[in-house]
């Protein structure tokens, strides 16, 4: 049975992050398989959605200075009606906040199962965005309630599942790893030579690479402090940072304060996938000592190009890694990083062998990952149908009525404001009464879902 899938996430191009990349690859691979899907995501100004699948943009607020993203407003009945008209069979939401509120709302209007994937340690994101511990706990509770309301929960790694449990989630989950959009293979010699020339990379020294968002919680201080120890021990190396982010300026300033400026290259964000492959190919080892990431897509991307990774022992990104064979493991501190990188047996030839084993043993493509997901979609939908869920036309009528009431009452309220000095007091009072009714409805709706 071919299913029509509604993919939802709070980030999507032009916003680029790991989850946005995952949703894009889900949509592209579902479409490539000859099946139907659409993406529902917050609106961005002047965005052009030139994709082989529909993208439904819903109202959003500009919260980029606070969180780096626009915040979706999932309460517009028009959005629910428009999505319901697209006759989906299943919703797959990838963010537990606005997207999952919208997913639950759509499920009420047009009954279908919701699959949720937990990609990110949201407790860390919440703590970074909200200072009040009370508000942090409220946000976590909201997140867990939303996830618990879904019909099936997926996590991208066992560590992600453990983090979800730590937040208070008590339901079942299924591990469904993400893939990467780089095929196996190394970049050409000419491409890597061009990077070496453009960035003055030494041919006779190991080149270490970090690729990702420039955020301190990615383990960047461990990298820089460890490299400082390497420098003091007289070790030769070159460190390349590819990426951008809120902490980039601070990271560069800290590298300078340690006297590492001549050893470091700060490339900025690179969106061309051929250029990304060239960086993975040119480097000798990816340094990714992050305990924040739940899956570490860059580790699999590096493996696609025959590059091994240095990871924190016990981290989510280190799942499936055998130390010294298909990756290098350290403790979560700078001293461990410096000791491991400075070990005489860790030659560039040894690192090349680790990279080859990584390509052979831990690589997974998006085509394979989404193929597994599509097979599981069928099971989820069959279970839903077997449970006897039936379409409820009254729910859709309620949404249509709410949409019409909102329009009518907003018009009435505007009329009341326009005639604020008018003598027709009863007319104003009626408009206010209607607006009060709408606000009560909105409050009931928010209490139900939030």
């Amino acid at each position: 049975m071919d299913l029509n899938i509604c993919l939802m996430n709070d980030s999507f191009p032009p916003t680029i992050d790991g989850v946005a990349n995952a949703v894009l690859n889900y949509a592209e691979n579902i479409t490539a398989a000859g099946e139907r899907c659409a993406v529902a995501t917050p609106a961005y100004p002047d965005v052009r959605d030139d994709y082989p699948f529909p993208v439904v943009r819903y109202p959003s607020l500009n919260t980029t200075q606070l969180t780096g993203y626009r915040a979706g407003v999932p309460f517009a009945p028009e959005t629910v009606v428009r999505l319901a008209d697209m006759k989906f069979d299943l919703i797959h939401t990838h963010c537990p906040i606005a997207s999952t509120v919208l997913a639950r709302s759509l499920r009420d209007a047009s009954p279908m199962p919701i699959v949720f994937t937990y990609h990110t340690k949201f407790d860390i994101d919440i703590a970074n965005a909200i200072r009040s511990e009370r508000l942090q706990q409220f946000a976590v509770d909201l997140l867990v309630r939303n996830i618990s309301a879904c019909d099936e929960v997926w996590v991208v790694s066992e560590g992600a599942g453990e983090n979800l449990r730590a937040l208070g989630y008590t339901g079942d989950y299924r591990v469904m790893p993400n893939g990467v959009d780089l095929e196996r293979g190394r970049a050409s010699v000419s491409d890597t030579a061009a990077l070496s020339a453009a960035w003055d990379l030494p041919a006779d020294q190991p080149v270490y690479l970090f690729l990702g968002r420039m955020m301190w919680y990615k383990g960047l201080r461990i990298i820089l402090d460890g490299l400082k120890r390497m420098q003091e021990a007289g070790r030769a190396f070159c460190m390349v940072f590819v990426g951008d982010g809120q902490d980039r300026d601070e990271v560069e300033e800290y590298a300078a304060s340690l006297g590492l400026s001549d050893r470091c290259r700060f490339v900025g964000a690179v969106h061309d996938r051929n250029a990304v492959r060239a960086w993975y190919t040119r480097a000798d080892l990816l340094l990714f000592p992050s305990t924040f990431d739940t899956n570490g897509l860059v580790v699999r991307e590096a493996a696609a190009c025959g590059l091994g990774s240095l990871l924190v022992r016990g981290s989510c990104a280190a799942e499936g890694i055998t130390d010294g064979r298909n990756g290098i493991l350290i403790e979560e501190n700078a001293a461990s990083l410096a000791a491991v990188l400075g070990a005489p047996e860790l030659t560039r030839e040894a690192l090349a062998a680790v990279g080859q084993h990584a390509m052979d043993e831990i690589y997974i493509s998006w085509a394979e990952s989404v193929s597994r997901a599509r097979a599981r979609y069928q099971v989820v939908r069959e279970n839903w149908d077997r449970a006897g869920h039936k379409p409820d036309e009254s729910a859709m009528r309620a949404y249509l009525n709410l949409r019409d009431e909102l329009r009518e009452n907003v018009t009435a309220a505007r009329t009341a404001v326009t005639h604020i000095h008018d003598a027709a007091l009863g007319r104003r009072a009626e408009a206010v009464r209607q607006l009060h009714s709408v606000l009560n409805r909105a409050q009931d709706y928010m209490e139900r879902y939030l």
Side-chain angles (χ1 to χ4, degrees):
M1 175 175 63
D2 289 342
L3 299 180
N4 186 14
I5 308 299
C6 181
L7 300 167
M8 294 185 178
N9 192 45
D10 287 21
S11 63
F12 193 72
T15 298
I16 302 295
D17 63 13
V19 185
N21 181 59
V23 174
L24 178 59
N25 277 281
Y26 261 89
E28 289 179 341
N29 280 275
I30 290 171
T31 303
E35 297 178 354
R36 294 176 296 157
C37 70
V39 174
T41 193
Y44 270 71
D46 304 319
V47 68
R48 289 188 59 190
D49 293 314
D50 187 16
Y51 301 103
F53 48 83
V55 176
V56 177
R57 299 277 180 174
Y58 59 90
S60 66
L61 301 174
N62 187 1
T63 56
T64 52
Q65 289 190 341
L66 177 64
T67 65
Y69 303 92
R70 292 186 71 91
V73 181
F75 303 110
E78 286 88 346
T79 303
V80 175
V81 172
R82 181 180 176 189
L83 291 172
D85 285 343
M86 299 177 78
K87 306 298 182 184
F88 294 110
D89 300 295
L90 181 146
I91 306 164
H92 187 177
T93 173
H94 294 257
C95 179
I97 307 174
S99 291
T100 302
V101 171
L102 178 60
R104 294 171 65 187
S105 187
L106 177 58
R107 181 178 60 186
D108 278 354
S110 181
M112 71 189 83
I114 300 174
V115 171
F116 169 76
T117 293
Y118 188 70
H119 293 267
T120 303
K121 293 182 177 179
F122 276 92
D123 52 334
I124 297 178
D125 277 342
I126 289 170
N128 286 332
I130 303 172
R131 297 305 174 196
S132 165
E133 291 185 5
R134 186 174 181 180
L135 290 177
Q136 287 177 15
Q137 189 58 53
F138 172 80
V140 169
D141 291 344
L142 165 62
L143 178 151
V144 171
R145 286 199 300 271
N146 264 339
I147 295 172
S148 300
C150 295
D151 298 285
E152 182 159 295
V153 175
W154 298 352
V155 297
V156 294
S157 64
E158 287 290 355
E162 293 170 6
N163 176 256
L164 184 54
R165 286 266 188 262
L167 297 182
Y169 175 75
T170 59
D172 296 329
Y173 62 76
R174 176 177 296 271
V175 177
M176 298 287 280
N178 287 332
V180 297
D181 58 5
L182 293 177
E183 296 179 356
R184 282 188 178 91
R186 298 174 64 81
S188 67
V189 173
S190 61
D191 284 349
T192 57
L195 289 183
S196 295
W199 291 95
D200 191 25
L201 305 180
D204 59 347
Q205 300 174 16
V207 173
Y208 304 129
L209 173 69
F210 171 87
L211 192 148
R213 283 192 295 162
M214 297 289 285
M215 307 293 286
W216 282 120
Y217 59 66
K218 294 277 191 176
L220 301 183
R221 197 176 300 276
I222 291 175
I223 293 175
L224 292 172
D225 288 347
L227 293 180
K228 177 61 177 178
R229 290 172 177 257
M230 293 272 288
Q231 182 189 51
E232 292 172 344
R235 299 287 185 178
F237 63 86
C238 178
M239 180 69 213
V240 178
F241 292 90
V242 175
D244 212 339
Q246 292 173 315
D247 296 332
R248 178 180 172 181
D249 290 344
E250 290 184 15
V251 173
E252 291 196 40
E253 290 170 5
Y254 187 65
S257 74
L258 295 177
L260 292 174
S261 294
D262 62 332
R263 304 285 192 101
C264 295
R265 312 287 188 269
F266 292 91
V267 175
V270 174
H271 300 298
D272 181 88
R273 300 304 282 166
N274 289 327
V276 168
R277 184 186 294 279
W279 277 116
Y280 285 134
T281 302
R282 177 61 183 85
D284 293 284
L285 187 66
L286 178 74
L287 304 189
F288 197 67
S290 171
T291 56
F292 167 78
D293 291 77
T294 54
N295 194 34
L297 286 181
V298 291
V299 176
R300 270 65 185 175
E301 288 183 353
C305 306
L307 178 66
S309 300
L310 177 144
L311 307 161
V312 173
R313 193 183 309 275
S315 66
C316 295
E319 288 185 18
I321 297 298
T322 301
D323 188 21
R325 177 172 174 81
N326 55 18
I328 306 295
L329 301 180
I330 64 167
E331 302 307 315
E332 193 179 359
N333 59 68
S336 181
L337 182 143
V340 168
L341 291 183
E345 65 271 17
L346 200 66
T347 63
R348 298 179 78 183
E349 291 74 21
L351 291 177
V354 169
Q356 184 60 52
H357 289 141
M359 180 188 284
D360 295 338
E361 296 169 5
I362 69 168
Y363 170 81
I364 178 173
S365 69
W366 270 118
E368 180 182 354
S369 176
V370 176
S371 178
R372 295 176 185 175
R374 288 168 44 229
R376 187 62 195 174
Y377 288 158
Q378 296 282 352
V379 175
V380 174
R381 181 68 210 199
E382 288 168 6
N383 290 341
W384 171 271
D385 292 338
R386 193 176 298 115
H389 296 284
K390 299 295 183 183
D392 183 0
E393 293 183 3
S394 64
M396 178 50 65
R397 285 196 299 271
Y399 273 93
L400 291 170
N401 291 338
L402 177 58
R403 179 191 63 183
D404 293 340
E405 288 177 18
L406 283 169
R407 287 173 174 167
E408 292 172 2
N409 293 337
V410 167
T411 299
R414 285 174 175 168
T415 301
V417 171
T418 301
H419 298 87
I420 194 67
H421 298 297
D422 191 82
L425 180 60
R427 183 179 180 187
R428 291 200 309 275
E430 176 62 17
V432 170
R433 186 195 66 75
Q434 291 180 6
L435 183 58
H436 188 261
S437 174
V438 172
L439 292 175
N440 284 337
R441 279 177 172 270
Q443 182 178 357
D444 291 343
Y445 187 78
M446 292 178 70
E447 287 176 354
R448 178 177 183 180
Y449 290 107
L450 300 181

